[in-house]
Amino acid sequence: MITGKTKLLGVIGDPIEHSLSPVMHNAAINNLGLDYVYLPFPIKPEDLPAAISGFAAIGLTGFSVTIPHKQAIIPLLTEVSPIAKEIGAVNTVWRTETGWNGTNTDVEGFLAPLKNYNQNWHQTTALILGYGGAARAVVAACAQLNCAKIQVFGRDTQKLKAFQNSWQNSQLAVNLSVHNWQELSDLIGESNLLVNTTPVGMYPHVDESPVSAELMGKLPGNAIAYDLIYTPNPTKFLQLAKEHGAEAIDGLEMLVQQGAAALQIWLKQQPPVNIMRQSLRQYLQI
């Protein structure tokens, strides 16, 4: 039961109706028997500064940050973790005595399912589709794995160049290169880790894949295909990858693990990861 003593957590975004974060976070909170509630807050970009001030006024404990606020929120925070500064994006914020602190748990979330694979990451070529905020977290994660090559692919030459330039002073992207989409055909054959960070294949366009069946056929049979999309499950991208012998990872585990890392910051205790995962699978009927 929500009372005047219930502590508030939440997620901000625009739009936010589709977010599954309340499902898994409230399941975890209920399991722990804590007097918290996790709510979705639709915040327009122009209202972001006012919302942050309002959150302080009502004593919000912390909140998740999703599109389009992950970069815009940084100047509004008192302190930003080194990893979030490197990536240039924040997805988790908590209140302290001096103000709001922010970090990025997407890297931790992305890496979690990869720990199950006995892969020689030092010899791995990671091929990343897309150059948005999610791609930035994946680049940082691949750098932490010490991947031999990190190749980012996109269709807009100017945005690709800007993406590359933004990493110039970072130690995380020593092996980073950017490529036009047309080069995918020539380079996909050397990829051991193929990651989709684009929205292609997301509901309602469930029959689309950023990579054609023909191109997927060039992917080495022992490669890992990783789609950050978690619904539909599996995506067309992962269906094609599995048909050509690749290992498939969907975005559900990343969602769960980045959320669990955030909950640990807010609640200062280990969250029930299995409950979070189970609540999402039940909700998505998968």
Side-chain angles (χ1 to χ4, degrees):
M1 181 186 291
I2 298 173
T3 70
K5 294 180 180 178
T6 303
K7 294 178 181 176
L8 301 178
L9 294 166
V11 55
I12 65 169
D14 180 37
I16 202 63
E17 295 85 358
H18 68 286
S19 175
L20 295 185
S21 292
V23 175
M24 65 175 181
H25 284 305
N26 285 315
I29 289 163
N30 291 338
N31 179 264
L32 292 169
L34 299 175
D35 193 8
Y36 280 82
V37 66
Y38 184 101
L39 302 168
F41 296 105
I43 308 293
K44 298 283 182 195
E46 61 270 24
D47 296 329
L48 186 60
I52 303 309
S53 299
F55 287 163
I58 63 172
L60 201 78
T61 300
F63 56 95
S64 309
V65 184
T66 189
I67 294 169
H69 305 309
K70 287 187 176 188
Q71 291 166 302
I73 198 168
I74 291 177
L76 305 174
L77 303 176
T78 310
E79 194 173 318
V80 177
S81 72
I83 189 69
K85 281 180 185 171
E86 289 272 23
I87 298 169
V90 160
N91 78 331
T92 302
V93 175
W94 65 99
R95 193 163 50 96
T96 68
E97 290 179 3
T98 54
W100 294 106
N101 286 10
T103 191
N104 194 305
T105 64
D106 281 336
V107 174
E108 194 175 334
F110 177 81
L111 289 174
L114 291 177
K115 291 172 183 172
N116 299 323
Y117 292 89
N118 186 22
Q119 188 96 352
N120 188 352
W121 300 110
H122 299 274
Q123 294 179 7
T124 293
T125 294
L127 196 156
I128 302 165
L129 307 175
Y131 39 50
R136 300 189 68 82
V138 174
V139 166
C142 291
Q144 284 191 16
L145 289 172
N146 293 314
C147 288
K149 293 180 186 175
I150 304 170
Q151 300 173 333
V152 174
F153 289 75
R155 298 184 188 279
D156 188 313
T157 308
Q158 284 185 317
K159 286 182 180 176
L160 267 176
K161 196 68 185 165
F163 185 91
Q164 186 172 38
N165 291 342
S166 70
W167 293 96
Q168 272 183 350
N169 300 317
S170 171
Q171 290 303 306
L172 285 178
V174 244
N175 303 322
L176 176 69
S177 60
V178 300
H179 304 269
N180 288 319
W181 202 266
Q182 291 85 343
E183 297 177 66
L184 191 58
S185 177
D186 295 327
L187 296 174
I188 194 169
E190 63 180 62
S191 171
N192 317 98
L193 176 63
L194 175 65
V195 186
N196 177 37
T197 75
T198 79
V200 179
M202 192 181 285
Y203 182 84
H205 306 291
V206 296
D207 292 325
E208 295 180 11
S209 167
V211 177
S212 67
E214 183 188 351
L215 274 189
M216 198 67 87
K218 297 183 177 184
L219 192 67
N222 60 346
I224 297 170
Y226 196 145
D227 199 337
L228 302 197
I229 297 171
Y230 48 82
T231 178
N233 193 297
T235 57
K236 183 73 172 175
F237 172 81
L238 290 183
Q239 286 177 40
L240 292 174
K242 283 194 281 191
E243 284 170 15
H244 290 94
E247 292 282 342
I249 302 175
D250 63 61
L252 192 72
E253 192 62 19
M254 178 176 173
L255 177 68
V256 169
Q257 296 290 346
Q258 64 78 27
L263 264 184
Q264 189 154 14
I265 292 170
W266 298 324
L267 305 178
K268 297 180 173 57
Q269 61 178 287
Q270 184 67 37
V273 178
N274 285 339
I275 297 292
M276 297 172 75
R277 187 184 299 112
Q278 184 183 328
S279 68
L280 288 178
R281 289 197 171 278
Q282 191 173 342
Y283 183 84
L284 295 168
Q285 297 180 334
I286 55 174

